[in-house]
Amino acid sequence: MALNQSIYHSPVFQQACNQFDAAADILGMDAGLRERTKRPRRCVVVSMPVRMDDGRIEIFEGYRVQHNLSTGPAKGGIRFHHEVTLGEVAALAMWMSWKCSLAGLPYGGGKGGVIVDPRKLSKTELERLSRRYMQEILPFIGPNVDIPAPDVGTDAQVMAWMMDTYSNHKGFYDPGVITGKPISLGGSLGRKEATGEGVAWFVKAYLQDFGIKPEQTKVVIQGFGNVGSEAALALYDWGAEVIGISDYTGGIHNPKGIDLKAALDYVQKNKNLQGFPGGDALTNEQLMELPCTVLIPAALERVITEKNAAKLQCRILAEGANGPTTYEADQIIRQRGDIHIIPDVLCNSGGVIVSYFEWLQNLQNYYWTKGEVFDKLYRMLAKAKASVDETAKKYKCSHRTAALVLGIARVSEAKAQRGLFP
Ligand code: GLU
């Protein structure tokens, strides 16, 4: 039976399904197992009444999708964004399944989302909404069931409120229910930097494969949030030049290199990059077409489309965001043959890998140094890179399809071997 598209209907979900099918074709997966592996397992829709500061009650809508529970508890972030849809969350949950599987983590995949622009809430409203969301999904989560984490629009403070809500309900401190927490509440050293550090690690590894040196590397980053800014700093420290950055207000271009510390200070003070004096202003669309060595989309899905794929001028496209390249754009880039894509499920997996380390530390009540965290992280990234490179060669397919073949195969094998219950 075909998937009921009316539930998850969205271009992002379709994109994830198209990518899945390309990998399932290579695996020769039969129709039954294919549908069983593709379909989200469980989806919770909640409405949350929240008292606003002016006394009004506003109702927010939220989701938690558990795509795969066959290889461990669901794992994946919670997104607060005004354009969140169920289909988008389902696609993101599916990508978490493949990401965790590819990295060899003992998890399934999940994702949460709330339709809200968190920038428009006061801190107290944000706290009430975060607690209420956790309260509503509480029967479906837990350290062995589903472990949320930060995503676009949420941070360590939001995770702290959610962990506190969960722990109060249980009656004891239970930090393993959520990752990306503040260090004082069982967060892991290195988790904040992990996604961006991981993106930079892959960029450096592929540049080395292509014989490109740090001083020859010009980087453009779309999205200067947690992932984009940490990747920028790591590549700058390595010796690359960051010539373009952007956020939802627009971009900044400086061919001589952007002063990242000044940009970060500016964002801290002004909340966004608008008016930053360290370069020329341009739109996000213009920014992505700048000539550069490495382009890192590090914000939302579907920013590289059939409209701009032919105009990109980078050697490496490193997907810090989830799903930034549409299925159609993927085909165009593959035909061009001059751009290497480091696919999202590989490129940004450093975040969930260190989330796994955080969860392990919580369960063992034994905490690691930052050196131990990064040493273990880099070893896991290197292993994943080697297996994706090898699989792409073996099947003569794109690195995206290779990464998905590896991620999907482990999940579908587990499902086939567990059998059907009852
Ligand atoms: N939201 C992040 C991602 O998309 C991190 C998920 C996690 O740490 O569980 O990979």
Side-chain angles (χ1 to χ4, degrees), residues 344-378:
D344 48 8
V345 293
L346 179 68
C347 192
N348 67 40
S349 61
V352 73
I353 292 173
V354 177
S355 272
Y356 166 55
F357 297 162
E358 180 173 330
W359 179 74
L360 284 180
Q361 293 171 74
N362 294 154
L363 297 187
Q364 298 174 345
N365 279 301
Y366 177 70
Y367 287 84
W368 310 350
T369 64
K370 202 169 191 169
E372 284 174 278
V373 168
F374 281 116
D375 182 51
K376 289 185 170 70
L377 170 66
Y378 296 147

PDB file of all heavy atoms in Angstrom, residues 344-378:
ATOM      1  N   ASP A 344      24.382  15.465   4.024  1.00  0.00           N
ATOM      2  CA  ASP A 344      23.971  15.804   5.389  1.00  0.00           C
ATOM      3  C   ASP A 344      24.126  14.675   6.409  1.00  0.00           C
ATOM      4  O   ASP A 344      24.677  14.886   7.480  1.00  0.00           O
ATOM      5  CB  ASP A 344      22.521  16.330   5.389  1.00  0.00           C
ATOM      6  CG  ASP A 344      21.545  15.463   4.587  1.00  0.00           C
ATOM      7  OD1 ASP A 344      21.927  14.374   4.149  1.00  0.00           O
ATOM      8  OD2 ASP A 344      20.378  15.890   4.421  1.00  0.00           O
ATOM      9  N   VAL A 345      23.644  13.464   6.066  1.00  0.00           N
ATOM     10  CA  VAL A 345      23.652  12.391   7.072  1.00  0.00           C
ATOM     11  C   VAL A 345      25.073  11.995   7.489  1.00  0.00           C
ATOM     12  O   VAL A 345      25.285  11.397   8.539  1.00  0.00           O
ATOM     13  CB  VAL A 345      22.870  11.132   6.605  1.00  0.00           C
ATOM     14  CG1 VAL A 345      21.388  11.433   6.490  1.00  0.00           C
ATOM     15  CG2 VAL A 345      23.414  10.578   5.301  1.00  0.00           C
ATOM     16  N   LEU A 346      26.051  12.356   6.644  1.00  0.00           N
ATOM     17  CA  LEU A 346      27.454  12.148   7.018  1.00  0.00           C
ATOM     18  C   LEU A 346      28.012  13.456   7.601  1.00  0.00           C
ATOM     19  O   LEU A 346      28.556  13.492   8.704  1.00  0.00           O
ATOM     20  CB  LEU A 346      28.254  11.754   5.766  1.00  0.00           C
ATOM     21  CG  LEU A 346      29.745  11.507   5.948  1.00  0.00           C
ATOM     22  CD1 LEU A 346      29.992  10.253   6.785  1.00  0.00           C
ATOM     23  CD2 LEU A 346      30.438  11.343   4.581  1.00  0.00           C
ATOM     24  N   CYS A 347      27.824  14.542   6.850  1.00  0.00           N
ATOM     25  CA  CYS A 347      28.493  15.814   7.130  1.00  0.00           C
ATOM     26  C   CYS A 347      28.163  16.389   8.512  1.00  0.00           C
ATOM     27  O   CYS A 347      29.034  16.899   9.198  1.00  0.00           O
ATOM     28  CB  CYS A 347      28.104  16.812   6.036  1.00  0.00           C
ATOM     29  SG  CYS A 347      29.076  18.297   6.017  1.00  0.00           S
ATOM     30  N   ASN A 348      26.880  16.325   8.916  1.00  0.00           N
ATOM     31  CA  ASN A 348      26.530  16.952  10.201  1.00  0.00           C
ATOM     32  C   ASN A 348      26.335  15.934  11.326  1.00  0.00           C
ATOM     33  O   ASN A 348      25.774  16.256  12.375  1.00  0.00           O
ATOM     34  CB  ASN A 348      25.315  17.879  10.042  1.00  0.00           C
ATOM     35  CG  ASN A 348      24.034  17.129   9.709  1.00  0.00           C
ATOM     36  OD1 ASN A 348      23.770  16.062  10.243  1.00  0.00           O
ATOM     37  ND2 ASN A 348      23.207  17.706   8.843  1.00  0.00           N
ATOM     38  N   SER A 349      26.873  14.713  11.125  1.00  0.00           N
ATOM     39  CA  SER A 349      26.626  13.663  12.119  1.00  0.00           C
ATOM     40  C   SER A 349      27.420  13.848  13.415  1.00  0.00           C
ATOM     41  O   SER A 349      27.156  13.174  14.410  1.00  0.00           O
ATOM     42  CB  SER A 349      26.940  12.283  11.516  1.00  0.00           C
ATOM     43  OG  SER A 349      28.311  12.209  11.135  1.00  0.00           O
ATOM     44  N   GLY A 350      28.378  14.771  13.427  1.00  0.00           N
ATOM     45  CA  GLY A 350      29.146  15.023  14.651  1.00  0.00           C
ATOM     46  C   GLY A 350      28.249  15.417  15.819  1.00  0.00           C
ATOM     47  O   GLY A 350      28.532  15.075  16.971  1.00  0.00           O
ATOM     48  N   GLY A 351      27.154  16.106  15.525  1.00  0.00           N
ATOM     49  CA  GLY A 351      26.236  16.555  16.585  1.00  0.00           C
ATOM     50  C   GLY A 351      25.605  15.377  17.306  1.00  0.00           C
ATOM     51  O   GLY A 351      25.691  15.266  18.534  1.00  0.00           O
ATOM     52  N   VAL A 352      25.011  14.488  16.548  1.00  0.00           N
ATOM     53  CA  VAL A 352      24.327  13.367  17.208  1.00  0.00           C
ATOM     54  C   VAL A 352      25.329  12.367  17.793  1.00  0.00           C
ATOM     55  O   VAL A 352      25.043  11.707  18.787  1.00  0.00           O
ATOM     56  CB  VAL A 352      23.287  12.700  16.278  1.00  0.00           C
ATOM     57  CG1 VAL A 352      23.927  11.881  15.177  1.00  0.00           C
ATOM     58  CG2 VAL A 352      22.332  11.833  17.091  1.00  0.00           C
ATOM     59  N   ILE A 353      26.532  12.311  17.212  1.00  0.00           N
ATOM     60  CA  ILE A 353      27.545  11.406  17.794  1.00  0.00           C
ATOM     61  C   ILE A 353      27.928  11.884  19.198  1.00  0.00           C
ATOM     62  O   ILE A 353      27.970  11.097  20.150  1.00  0.00           O
ATOM     63  CB  ILE A 353      28.788  11.287  16.872  1.00  0.00           C
ATOM     64  CG1 ILE A 353      28.412  10.544  15.579  1.00  0.00           C
ATOM     65  CG2 ILE A 353      29.925  10.564  17.594  1.00  0.00           C
ATOM     66  CD1 ILE A 353      29.507  10.499  14.520  1.00  0.00           C
ATOM     67  N   VAL A 354      28.130  13.203  19.353  1.00  0.00           N
ATOM     68  CA  VAL A 354      28.470  13.690  20.702  1.00  0.00           C
ATOM     69  C   VAL A 354      27.231  13.671  21.617  1.00  0.00           C
ATOM     70  O   VAL A 354      27.359  13.511  22.826  1.00  0.00           O
ATOM     71  CB  VAL A 354      29.200  15.050  20.660  1.00  0.00           C
ATOM     72  CG1 VAL A 354      29.475  15.570  22.059  1.00  0.00           C
ATOM     73  CG2 VAL A 354      30.525  14.900  19.904  1.00  0.00           C
ATOM     74  N   SER A 355      26.032  13.753  21.034  1.00  0.00           N
ATOM     75  CA  SER A 355      24.824  13.524  21.837  1.00  0.00           C
ATOM     76  C   SER A 355      24.840  12.103  22.414  1.00  0.00           C
ATOM     77  O   SER A 355      24.469  11.877  23.570  1.00  0.00           O
ATOM     78  CB  SER A 355      23.567  13.693  20.985  1.00  0.00           C
ATOM     79  OG  SER A 355      23.140  15.030  20.964  1.00  0.00           O
ATOM     80  N   TYR A 356      25.268  11.167  21.591  1.00  0.00           N
ATOM     81  CA  TYR A 356      25.378   9.773  22.059  1.00  0.00           C
ATOM     82  C   TYR A 356      26.372   9.690  23.218  1.00  0.00           C
ATOM     83  O   TYR A 356      26.098   9.062  24.254  1.00  0.00           O
ATOM     84  CB  TYR A 356      25.821   8.895  20.880  1.00  0.00           C
ATOM     85  CG  TYR A 356      26.312   7.511  21.228  1.00  0.00           C
ATOM     86  CD1 TYR A 356      25.522   6.630  21.972  1.00  0.00           C
ATOM     87  CD2 TYR A 356      27.571   7.079  20.802  1.00  0.00           C
ATOM     88  CE1 TYR A 356      25.983   5.353  22.280  1.00  0.00           C
ATOM     89  CE2 TYR A 356      28.035   5.808  21.105  1.00  0.00           C
ATOM     90  CZ  TYR A 356      27.241   4.950  21.848  1.00  0.00           C
ATOM     91  OH  TYR A 356      27.699   3.696  22.161  1.00  0.00           O
ATOM     92  N   PHE A 357      27.510  10.398  23.073  1.00  0.00           N
ATOM     93  CA  PHE A 357      28.497  10.406  24.157  1.00  0.00           C
ATOM     94  C   PHE A 357      27.891  11.022  25.431  1.00  0.00           C
ATOM     95  O   PHE A 357      28.147  10.569  26.540  1.00  0.00           O
ATOM     96  CB  PHE A 357      29.756  11.198  23.755  1.00  0.00           C
ATOM     97  CG  PHE A 357      30.517  10.621  22.584  1.00  0.00           C
ATOM     98  CD1 PHE A 357      31.426  11.417  21.880  1.00  0.00           C
ATOM     99  CD2 PHE A 357      30.350   9.304  22.186  1.00  0.00           C
ATOM    100  CE1 PHE A 357      32.145  10.901  20.809  1.00  0.00           C
ATOM    101  CE2 PHE A 357      31.059   8.777  21.106  1.00  0.00           C
ATOM    102  CZ  PHE A 357      31.957   9.579  20.421  1.00  0.00           C
ATOM    103  N   GLU A 358      27.104  12.074  25.246  1.00  0.00           N
ATOM    104  CA  GLU A 358      26.475  12.727  26.406  1.00  0.00           C
ATOM    105  C   GLU A 358      25.551  11.743  27.125  1.00  0.00           C
ATOM    106  O   GLU A 358      25.574  11.619  28.357  1.00  0.00           O
ATOM    107  CB  GLU A 358      25.685  13.963  25.945  1.00  0.00           C
ATOM    108  CG  GLU A 358      24.999  14.705  27.082  1.00  0.00           C
ATOM    109  CD  GLU A 358      24.357  16.017  26.634  1.00  0.00           C
ATOM    110  OE1 GLU A 358      24.849  16.650  25.676  1.00  0.00           O
ATOM    111  OE2 GLU A 358      23.351  16.415  27.263  1.00  0.00           O
ATOM    112  N   TRP A 359      24.746  11.036  26.356  1.00  0.00           N
ATOM    113  CA  TRP A 359      23.803  10.043  26.905  1.00  0.00           C
ATOM    114  C   TRP A 359      24.563   8.940  27.648  1.00  0.00           C
ATOM    115  O   TRP A 359      24.203   8.551  28.754  1.00  0.00           O
ATOM    116  CB  TRP A 359      22.994   9.502  25.727  1.00  0.00           C
ATOM    117  CG  TRP A 359      21.963   8.466  25.973  1.00  0.00           C
ATOM    118  CD1 TRP A 359      20.738   8.639  26.554  1.00  0.00           C
ATOM    119  CD2 TRP A 359      22.022   7.077  25.571  1.00  0.00           C
ATOM    120  NE1 TRP A 359      20.039   7.457  26.525  1.00  0.00           N
ATOM    121  CE2 TRP A 359      20.795   6.475  25.924  1.00  0.00           C
ATOM    122  CE3 TRP A 359      22.979   6.296  24.921  1.00  0.00           C
ATOM    123  CZ2 TRP A 359      20.501   5.134  25.677  1.00  0.00           C
ATOM    124  CZ3 TRP A 359      22.700   4.956  24.667  1.00  0.00           C
ATOM    125  CH2 TRP A 359      21.472   4.388  25.044  1.00  0.00           C
ATOM    126  N   LEU A 360      25.679   8.454  27.048  1.00  0.00           N
ATOM    127  CA  LEU A 360      26.493   7.426  27.702  1.00  0.00           C
ATOM    128  C   LEU A 360      27.036   7.930  29.032  1.00  0.00           C
ATOM    129  O   LEU A 360      26.987   7.231  30.040  1.00  0.00           O
ATOM    130  CB  LEU A 360      27.695   7.060  26.818  1.00  0.00           C
ATOM    131  CG  LEU A 360      27.468   6.175  25.598  1.00  0.00           C
ATOM    132  CD1 LEU A 360      28.797   5.941  24.886  1.00  0.00           C
ATOM    133  CD2 LEU A 360      26.855   4.845  25.999  1.00  0.00           C
ATOM    134  N   GLN A 361      27.521   9.183  29.035  1.00  0.00           N
ATOM    135  CA  GLN A 361      28.067   9.759  30.265  1.00  0.00           C
ATOM    136  C   GLN A 361      26.974   9.872  31.328  1.00  0.00           C
ATOM    137  O   GLN A 361      27.191   9.608  32.510  1.00  0.00           O
ATOM    138  CB  GLN A 361      28.701  11.126  29.972  1.00  0.00           C
ATOM    139  CG  GLN A 361      29.951  11.029  29.091  1.00  0.00           C
ATOM    140  CD  GLN A 361      30.438  12.405  28.629  1.00  0.00           C
ATOM    141  OE1 GLN A 361      31.010  13.166  29.404  1.00  0.00           O
ATOM    142  NE2 GLN A 361      30.210  12.723  27.369  1.00  0.00           N
ATOM    143  N   ASN A 362      25.755  10.259  30.913  1.00  0.00           N
ATOM    144  CA  ASN A 362      24.635  10.376  31.845  1.00  0.00           C
ATOM    145  C   ASN A 362      24.278   9.009  32.431  1.00  0.00           C
ATOM    146  O   ASN A 362      24.058   8.874  33.634  1.00  0.00           O
ATOM    147  CB  ASN A 362      23.393  10.944  31.145  1.00  0.00           C
ATOM    148  CG  ASN A 362      23.556  12.377  30.673  1.00  0.00           C
ATOM    149  OD1 ASN A 362      22.893  12.798  29.733  1.00  0.00           O
ATOM    150  ND2 ASN A 362      24.433  13.135  31.305  1.00  0.00           N
ATOM    151  N   LEU A 363      24.218   7.991  31.574  1.00  0.00           N
ATOM    152  CA  LEU A 363      23.813   6.664  32.047  1.00  0.00           C
ATOM    153  C   LEU A 363      24.854   6.075  32.994  1.00  0.00           C
ATOM    154  O   LEU A 363      24.527   5.332  33.909  1.00  0.00           O
ATOM    155  CB  LEU A 363      23.589   5.707  30.863  1.00  0.00           C
ATOM    156  CG  LEU A 363      22.468   6.071  29.880  1.00  0.00           C
ATOM    157  CD1 LEU A 363      22.256   4.947  28.871  1.00  0.00           C
ATOM    158  CD2 LEU A 363      21.152   6.368  30.586  1.00  0.00           C
ATOM    159  N   GLN A 364      26.140   6.413  32.743  1.00  0.00           N
ATOM    160  CA  GLN A 364      27.216   5.854  33.564  1.00  0.00           C
ATOM    161  C   GLN A 364      27.592   6.753  34.733  1.00  0.00           C
ATOM    162  O   GLN A 364      28.399   6.354  35.568  1.00  0.00           O
ATOM    163  CB  GLN A 364      28.475   5.658  32.712  1.00  0.00           C
ATOM    164  CG  GLN A 364      28.278   4.681  31.576  1.00  0.00           C
ATOM    165  CD  GLN A 364      29.484   4.616  30.649  1.00  0.00           C
ATOM    166  OE1 GLN A 364      30.350   5.479  30.683  1.00  0.00           O
ATOM    167  NE2 GLN A 364      29.534   3.595  29.825  1.00  0.00           N
ATOM    168  N   ASN A 365      27.045   7.987  34.743  1.00  0.00           N
ATOM    169  CA  ASN A 365      27.472   8.970  35.750  1.00  0.00           C
ATOM    170  C   ASN A 365      28.990   9.089  35.806  1.00  0.00           C
ATOM    171  O   ASN A 365      29.594   9.170  36.867  1.00  0.00           O
ATOM    172  CB  ASN A 365      26.934   8.597  37.142  1.00  0.00           C
ATOM    173  CG  ASN A 365      25.499   9.035  37.291  1.00  0.00           C
ATOM    174  OD1 ASN A 365      25.205  10.228  37.166  1.00  0.00           O
ATOM    175  ND2 ASN A 365      24.604   8.102  37.508  1.00  0.00           N
ATOM    176  N   TYR A 366      29.606   9.075  34.637  1.00  0.00           N
ATOM    177  CA  TYR A 366      31.068   9.143  34.550  1.00  0.00           C
ATOM    178  C   TYR A 366      31.390  10.068  33.385  1.00  0.00           C
ATOM    179  O   TYR A 366      30.992   9.795  32.243  1.00  0.00           O
ATOM    180  CB  TYR A 366      31.612   7.723  34.308  1.00  0.00           C
ATOM    181  CG  TYR A 366      33.100   7.668  34.140  1.00  0.00           C
ATOM    182  CD1 TYR A 366      33.952   7.908  35.221  1.00  0.00           C
ATOM    183  CD2 TYR A 366      33.673   7.366  32.902  1.00  0.00           C
ATOM    184  CE1 TYR A 366      35.322   7.865  35.065  1.00  0.00           C
ATOM    185  CE2 TYR A 366      35.041   7.321  32.734  1.00  0.00           C
ATOM    186  CZ  TYR A 366      35.864   7.563  33.817  1.00  0.00           C
ATOM    187  OH  TYR A 366      37.220   7.521  33.659  1.00  0.00           O
ATOM    188  N   TYR A 367      32.073  11.170  33.677  1.00  0.00           N
ATOM    189  CA  TYR A 367      32.200  12.240  32.675  1.00  0.00           C
ATOM    190  C   TYR A 367      33.588  12.310  32.058  1.00  0.00           C
ATOM    191  O   TYR A 367      34.575  12.050  32.726  1.00  0.00           O
ATOM    192  CB  TYR A 367      31.733  13.560  33.296  1.00  0.00           C
ATOM    193  CG  TYR A 367      30.207  13.536  33.427  1.00  0.00           C
ATOM    194  CD1 TYR A 367      29.588  12.936  34.527  1.00  0.00           C
ATOM    195  CD2 TYR A 367      29.408  14.014  32.402  1.00  0.00           C
ATOM    196  CE1 TYR A 367      28.202  12.852  34.608  1.00  0.00           C
ATOM    197  CE2 TYR A 367      28.019  13.929  32.467  1.00  0.00           C
ATOM    198  CZ  TYR A 367      27.433  13.346  33.569  1.00  0.00           C
ATOM    199  OH  TYR A 367      26.063  13.248  33.624  1.00  0.00           O
ATOM    200  N   TRP A 368      33.630  12.627  30.769  1.00  0.00           N
ATOM    201  CA  TRP A 368      34.864  12.587  29.993  1.00  0.00           C
ATOM    202  C   TRP A 368      35.453  13.997  29.818  1.00  0.00           C
ATOM    203  O   TRP A 368      34.741  14.991  29.909  1.00  0.00           O
ATOM    204  CB  TRP A 368      34.598  12.029  28.586  1.00  0.00           C
ATOM    205  CG  TRP A 368      33.837  10.755  28.524  1.00  0.00           C
ATOM    206  CD1 TRP A 368      33.520   9.929  29.580  1.00  0.00           C
ATOM    207  CD2 TRP A 368      33.281  10.145  27.352  1.00  0.00           C
ATOM    208  NE1 TRP A 368      32.801   8.851  29.113  1.00  0.00           N
ATOM    209  CE2 TRP A 368      32.641   8.951  27.765  1.00  0.00           C
ATOM    210  CE3 TRP A 368      33.274  10.472  26.003  1.00  0.00           C
ATOM    211  CZ2 TRP A 368      31.994   8.106  26.864  1.00  0.00           C
ATOM    212  CZ3 TRP A 368      32.635   9.622  25.102  1.00  0.00           C
ATOM    213  CH2 TRP A 368      32.008   8.453  25.534  1.00  0.00           C
ATOM    214  N   THR A 369      36.747  14.041  29.492  1.00  0.00           N
ATOM    215  CA  THR A 369      37.370  15.323  29.166  1.00  0.00           C
ATOM    216  C   THR A 369      37.010  15.680  27.715  1.00  0.00           C
ATOM    217  O   THR A 369      36.594  14.814  26.937  1.00  0.00           O
ATOM    218  CB  THR A 369      38.909  15.242  29.253  1.00  0.00           C
ATOM    219  OG1 THR A 369      39.353  14.309  28.254  1.00  0.00           O
ATOM    220  CG2 THR A 369      39.373  14.783  30.631  1.00  0.00           C
ATOM    221  N   LYS A 370      37.217  16.960  27.377  1.00  0.00           N
ATOM    222  CA  LYS A 370      36.944  17.400  26.009  1.00  0.00           C
ATOM    223  C   LYS A 370      37.846  16.650  25.016  1.00  0.00           C
ATOM    224  O   LYS A 370      37.414  16.288  23.920  1.00  0.00           O
ATOM    225  CB  LYS A 370      37.215  18.911  25.915  1.00  0.00           C
ATOM    226  CG  LYS A 370      36.506  19.580  24.782  1.00  0.00           C
ATOM    227  CD  LYS A 370      36.633  21.090  24.950  1.00  0.00           C
ATOM    228  CE  LYS A 370      35.743  21.816  24.015  1.00  0.00           C
ATOM    229  NZ  LYS A 370      35.636  23.243  24.303  1.00  0.00           N
ATOM    230  N   GLY A 371      39.079  16.413  25.439  1.00  0.00           N
ATOM    231  CA  GLY A 371      40.022  15.676  24.584  1.00  0.00           C
ATOM    232  C   GLY A 371      39.494  14.291  24.264  1.00  0.00           C
ATOM    233  O   GLY A 371      39.546  13.832  23.112  1.00  0.00           O
ATOM    234  N   GLU A 372      38.968  13.604  25.281  1.00  0.00           N
ATOM    235  CA  GLU A 372      38.421  12.247  25.053  1.00  0.00           C
ATOM    236  C   GLU A 372      37.237  12.306  24.092  1.00  0.00           C
ATOM    237  O   GLU A 372      37.095  11.471  23.202  1.00  0.00           O
ATOM    238  CB  GLU A 372      37.939  11.638  26.377  1.00  0.00           C
ATOM    239  CG  GLU A 372      39.047  11.132  27.283  1.00  0.00           C
ATOM    240  CD  GLU A 372      38.492  10.683  28.630  1.00  0.00           C
ATOM    241  OE1 GLU A 372      38.274  11.540  29.503  1.00  0.00           O
ATOM    242  OE2 GLU A 372      38.275   9.476  28.805  1.00  0.00           O
ATOM    243  N   VAL A 373      36.377  13.320  24.281  1.00  0.00           N
ATOM    244  CA  VAL A 373      35.190  13.465  23.428  1.00  0.00           C
ATOM    245  C   VAL A 373      35.616  13.630  21.965  1.00  0.00           C
ATOM    246  O   VAL A 373      35.148  12.902  21.081  1.00  0.00           O
ATOM    247  CB  VAL A 373      34.321  14.667  23.881  1.00  0.00           C
ATOM    248  CG1 VAL A 373      33.262  15.008  22.837  1.00  0.00           C
ATOM    249  CG2 VAL A 373      33.673  14.383  25.229  1.00  0.00           C
ATOM    250  N   PHE A 374      36.529  14.582  21.721  1.00  0.00           N
ATOM    251  CA  PHE A 374      36.900  14.849  20.324  1.00  0.00           C
ATOM    252  C   PHE A 374      37.708  13.703  19.711  1.00  0.00           C
ATOM    253  O   PHE A 374      37.549  13.390  18.533  1.00  0.00           O
ATOM    254  CB  PHE A 374      37.628  16.193  20.191  1.00  0.00           C
ATOM    255  CG  PHE A 374      36.654  17.338  20.208  1.00  0.00           C
ATOM    256  CD1 PHE A 374      36.661  18.280  21.227  1.00  0.00           C
ATOM    257  CD2 PHE A 374      35.681  17.458  19.217  1.00  0.00           C
ATOM    258  CE1 PHE A 374      35.729  19.321  21.250  1.00  0.00           C
ATOM    259  CE2 PHE A 374      34.747  18.487  19.241  1.00  0.00           C
ATOM    260  CZ  PHE A 374      34.776  19.419  20.249  1.00  0.00           C
ATOM    261  N   ASP A 375      38.541  13.063  20.522  1.00  0.00           N
ATOM    262  CA  ASP A 375      39.312  11.936  20.019  1.00  0.00           C
ATOM    263  C   ASP A 375      38.365  10.820  19.535  1.00  0.00           C
ATOM    264  O   ASP A 375      38.502  10.288  18.432  1.00  0.00           O
ATOM    265  CB  ASP A 375      40.226  11.444  21.154  1.00  0.00           C
ATOM    266  CG  ASP A 375      41.103  10.297  20.705  1.00  0.00           C
ATOM    267  OD1 ASP A 375      41.746  10.465  19.655  1.00  0.00           O
ATOM    268  OD2 ASP A 375      41.125   9.241  21.370  1.00  0.00           O
ATOM    269  N   LYS A 376      37.369  10.512  20.361  1.00  0.00           N
ATOM    270  CA  LYS A 376      36.397   9.463  19.983  1.00  0.00           C
ATOM    271  C   LYS A 376      35.553   9.914  18.787  1.00  0.00           C
ATOM    272  O   LYS A 376      35.227   9.123  17.902  1.00  0.00           O
ATOM    273  CB  LYS A 376      35.490   9.135  21.162  1.00  0.00           C
ATOM    274  CG  LYS A 376      36.189   8.380  22.284  1.00  0.00           C
ATOM    275  CD  LYS A 376      35.171   7.992  23.348  1.00  0.00           C
ATOM    276  CE  LYS A 376      35.720   7.029  24.386  1.00  0.00           C
ATOM    277  NZ  LYS A 376      36.718   7.625  25.288  1.00  0.00           N
ATOM    278  N   LEU A 377      35.190  11.217  18.775  1.00  0.00           N
ATOM    279  CA  LEU A 377      34.383  11.750  17.664  1.00  0.00           C
ATOM    280  C   LEU A 377      35.129  11.593  16.340  1.00  0.00           C
ATOM    281  O   LEU A 377      34.588  11.060  15.361  1.00  0.00           O
ATOM    282  CB  LEU A 377      34.053  13.232  17.910  1.00  0.00           C
ATOM    283  CG  LEU A 377      33.429  13.974  16.726  1.00  0.00           C
ATOM    284  CD1 LEU A 377      32.035  13.421  16.395  1.00  0.00           C
ATOM    285  CD2 LEU A 377      33.325  15.478  17.001  1.00  0.00           C
ATOM    286  N   TYR A 378      36.381  12.047  16.298  1.00  0.00           N
ATOM    287  CA  TYR A 378      37.121  12.026  15.032  1.00  0.00           C
ATOM    288  C   TYR A 378      37.290  10.593  14.525  1.00  0.00           C
ATOM    289  O   TYR A 378      37.253  10.344  13.328  1.00  0.00           O
ATOM    290  CB  TYR A 378      38.496  12.702  15.188  1.00  0.00           C
ATOM    291  CG  TYR A 378      38.404  14.181  15.526  1.00  0.00           C
ATOM    292  CD1 TYR A 378      39.371  14.797  16.341  1.00  0.00           C
ATOM    293  CD2 TYR A 378      37.358  14.970  15.047  1.00  0.00           C
ATOM    294  CE1 TYR A 378      39.284  16.146  16.654  1.00  0.00           C
ATOM    295  CE2 TYR A 378      37.270  16.321  15.372  1.00  0.00           C
ATOM    296  CZ  TYR A 378      38.232  16.904  16.181  1.00  0.00           C
ATOM    297  OH  TYR A 378      38.138  18.230  16.502  1.00  0.00           O
TER     298      TYR A 378
END
